[in-house]
Amino acid sequence: MASHDRFRVIGGSQLRGEVTITGAKNSVLKLMAASLLAAGKTTITNVPDIADVDIMADLLTRLGCTVVRSDSQVSIDVPQIPGHRADYDLVRKMRASINVLGPLVARVGEAEVALPGGDAIGSRGLDFHIKGLEALGATAHIEHGYVVAKAPNGLSGAFVDLDFPSVGATENIMTAAVLAKGVTTIDNAAREPDLVDLGEFLISMGADIKGLGTPTITITGVAILRPTVHATIPDRIITGTWAFAAAMTRGDITIHGARAEHLELPLEKLASAGAIVTTTADGIRVRMDQRPQAIDVATLPYPGFPTDLLPMVIALNAIADGHSLVTENVFESRFMFVNELSRLGAQISVDGHHASIEGVLELSGAPVEAHDIRAGAGLILAALVSEGETTIDEAFHVDRGYPNFAEQLQSLGAKVTRE
Ligand code: UD1
């Protein structure tokens, strides 16, 4: 059943003004989990004000850490021997909880982590995580809803070839291998900027890692890591969301702190939709003064088009000039979002992992429901270009990934309230 926690949007405003990008959700949560690798106090800066950071802080506290959050930083004081069990009540709220698995096995020699929840965007297996830890010499299996992994005699470096460049699996294997004996090679590794950020964080703790950002990562284990201070990279998905918002509403948004090099393909696609994208001294500016042209997109692991921006592309195409084909290659259930968008009058048919979209001139406001963070943001963008009022239920999903979204939208001229 839908909760009464919602965004209310009156469509029709062109978004104009400036926003500043804070740290990436998909990076900071992994950095926090990886702080478990060294006893003592690690400090992470450029931390976004989102609900998931609180969940990870609770999880680390439960493992014996002292976590202090102030303004945009979090400090995590890790005990000599952290706990090893991450309970279901916390883990079920957030997929990134699984990132404590690698550090705990490496540091404590055992881990019990509940099977994670998080967004309803697909089956999201853990087989690559488990196979990777087994390759490093751990035993790992699923028992009573928990991943149970043990390596009482420590881990040993190994060759791990991933069937798919999974972000989470690459992270768990890398954070386990940094304390293993010998050399680990991860082939077909993920190349996402968030993963590179995690690698650089580990290097600043004393880890020996080569090949970050390439498909082959080589890690030479060290005996001990030390706490560190590290700034989280800016959130490329929020950056992309603002860029699409500018293009869809025929607005003009300057996005401070954005890194264009993390969004090459989405920005190219926006340019082919007719947007004027320029780099500024500390970010990017996206302007649009015409109806967007429809764009064909296929999501792929980085540097391909990010699956997390799929709802924004579909929302843009829903009001674009022309017909488009959008293909989802990473998470099979992303298209749940399409049913909601259709309630606003979008003309979309889905066949397997393809969505075929016929742009309409205007959408019309209606009550809809967010099933996950990005679908929620995509629906808010669609509501901005809908005639009349749209309510987006289950707003808490959006809070998990977008700090002060309603306030930021208001400052750009949108008629949005959070109830
Ligand atoms: C992370 C991001 C998510 C993003 C995704 C892809 C976080 C918290 N989430 O999710 O926002 O959309 O990367 O960029 O950082 N798979 C398996 N077996 C495994 C692991 C993965 O089959 O053991 C499959 C998944 O079901 C999915 C695909 O591989 O179809 C990619 O998943 P993965 O890259 O692992 O995504 P996450 O790390 O879960």
Side-chain angles (χ1 to χ4, degrees):
M1 214 185 78
S3 73
H4 296 297
D5 163 60
R6 63 171 63 109
F7 289 94
R8 189 180 297 276
V9 180
I10 312 282
S13 314
Q14 296 179 318
L15 299 197
R16 289 175 188 281
E18 302 180 15
V19 289
T20 299
I21 300 299
T22 51
K25 170 181 93 74
N26 286 352
S27 181
V28 73
L29 301 172
K30 323 309 180 52
L31 303 178
M32 291 175 74
S35 69
L36 287 167
L37 284 162
K41 189 159 124 192
T42 281
T43 300
I44 302 166
T45 62
N46 201 23
V47 174
D49 185 13
I50 51 171
D52 276 13
V53 168
D54 295 322
I55 301 173
M56 184 58 88
D58 287 348
L59 186 57
L60 293 174
T61 305
R62 206 74 82 74
L63 290 168
C65 303
T66 304
V67 184
V68 178
R69 234 186 126 172
S70 58
D71 300 329
S72 61
Q73 73 174 46
V74 61
S75 72
I76 303 156
D77 203 343
V78 179
Q80 280 302 332
I81 304 177
H84 67 274
R85 187 174 161 94
D87 289 316
Y88 177 67
D89 63 319
L90 285 176
V91 172
R92 72 191 186 95
K93 296 183 185 165
M94 182 180 74
R95 171 79 178 177
S97 313
I98 197 65
N99 274 69
V100 300
L101 183 64
L104 288 179
V105 180
R107 185 85 206 296
V108 190
E110 63 180 319
E112 290 175 28
V113 183
L115 292 173
D119 290 319
I121 52 177
S123 65
R124 308 186 88 174
L126 289 178
D127 45 334
F128 307 150
H129 301 240
I130 289 177
K131 275 192 219 157
L133 291 178
E134 283 174 343
L136 297 178
T139 59
H141 59 278
I142 292 173
E143 195 179 287
H144 303 303
Y146 280 72
V147 183
V148 179
K150 290 190 177 144
N153 303 317
L155 298 166
S156 302
F159 179 77
V160 182
D161 189 8
L162 291 173
D163 293 339
F164 186 89
S166 153
V167 177
T170 307
E171 289 166 344
N172 260 331
I173 298 164
M174 183 164 78
T175 50
V178 284
L179 287 179
K181 290 181 210 84
V183 178
T184 297
T185 304
I186 310 174
D187 232 359
N188 200 21
R191 299 163 62 185
E192 269 68 3
D194 320 288
L195 183 107
V196 174
D197 196 30
L198 173 63
E200 283 168 359
F201 173 84
L202 296 170
I203 291 169
S204 76
M205 293 174 109
D208 181 348
I209 305 174
K210 303 275 183 318
L212 289 169
T214 79
T216 306
I217 301 178
T218 308
I219 303 143
T220 305
V222 297
I224 194 165
L225 293 170
R226 53 179 183 271
T228 188
V229 178
H230 182 92
T232 318
I233 55 162
D235 196 308
R236 71 199 154 96
I237 305 301
I238 296 180
T239 305
T241 304
W242 291 126
F244 273 86
M248 285 176 66
T249 64
R250 304 189 200 182
D252 183 350
I253 306 182
T254 298
I255 312 169
H256 298 289
R259 290 212 196 144
E261 71 272 23
H262 290 169
L263 278 167
E264 268 181 27
L265 201 47
L267 296 178
E268 262 173 39
K269 288 286 177 184
L270 280 174
S272 62
I276 302 153
V277 181
T278 44
T279 49
T280 61
D282 71 339
I284 56 176
R285 177 177 174 197
V286 181
R287 285 180 290 153
M288 183 70 136
D289 48 24
Q290 61 183 68
R291 182 180 180 197
Q293 293 292 318
I295 44 175
D296 292 334
V297 166
T299 66
L300 278 174
Y302 193 86
F305 194 96
T307 170
D308 284 347
L309 288 177
L310 180 101
M312 294 58 167
V313 175
I314 295 182
L316 177 133
N317 279 329
I319 48 124
D321 183 11
H323 174 267
S324 56
L325 189 67
V326 174
T327 303
E328 170 58 43
N329 290 312
V330 183
F331 288 114
E332 70 266 28
S333 308
R334 283 266 186 214
F335 287 146
M336 276 163 67
F337 157 80
V338 166
N339 294 336
E340 298 302 304
L341 200 57
S342 300
R343 297 173 58 75
L344 302 177
Q347 299 293 311
I348 307 176
S349 63
V350 172
D351 181 8
H353 58 136
H354 304 290
S356 166
I357 305 153
E358 196 60 54
V360 297
L361 267 174
E362 193 178 42
L363 299 171
S364 77
V368 293
E369 191 178 319
H371 294 294
D372 69 72
I373 304 174
R374 309 303 169 189
L379 287 169
I380 292 172
L381 298 199
L384 291 170
V385 291
S386 296
E387 190 270 319
E389 180 179 287
T390 299
T391 51
I392 298 109
D393 274 10
E394 306 290 333
F396 71 91
H397 283 297
V398 178
D399 303 337
R400 289 188 40 217
Y402 290 85
N404 309 314
F405 202 38
E407 291 80 356
Q408 292 209 300
L409 284 162
Q410 286 160 3
S411 78
L412 295 169
K415 296 196 180 101
V416 180
T417 50
R418 174 78 168 75
E419 310 178 344

